[in-house]
Amino acid sequence: MTIVYVLVLALTILANAFEGVAGLVGAAFMKQNAEQVGVPFSWLPILGLLKGAGAVGLLFGLVGVRALGIAAAVGLVLFFVGALVAHVRARVFHNIAFPAAFEAFAIASLVLLITH
């Protein structure tokens, strides 16, 4: 395994695990962002579970279950496309860098899992 492969996947896993837990517990910053982009608070636990599932799937991909890692990365790419669309539709651009960064890491993880 290359250092870049491990580093990118580890950062993607940690970031999505953190966001997943924050969504599950209804962290204040998650509620504030949801309100700004028009996402109901009731969706936060579900969205948190999806991010957490993506993190777990990437972890499996990192330890050798490549197909599961690829599936998780695809799921996260699609998830963050939805997040970016929600930000654009709501015209909330002041913090769009966050879902864009998560999207970039999800894409990088997908590419690395496919090519590794």
Side-chain angles (χ1 to χ4, degrees), residues 26-63:
F29 75 94
M30 297 293 283
K31 287 182 176 179
Q32 181 183 17
N33 188 59
E35 184 176 19
Q36 290 174 355
V37 299
V39 172
F41 292 159
S42 63
W43 290 14
L44 290 179
I46 296 164
L47 298 175
L49 281 174
L50 291 172
K51 290 180 209 175
V56 170
L58 287 179
L59 180 60
F60 275 98
L62 184 60
V63 297

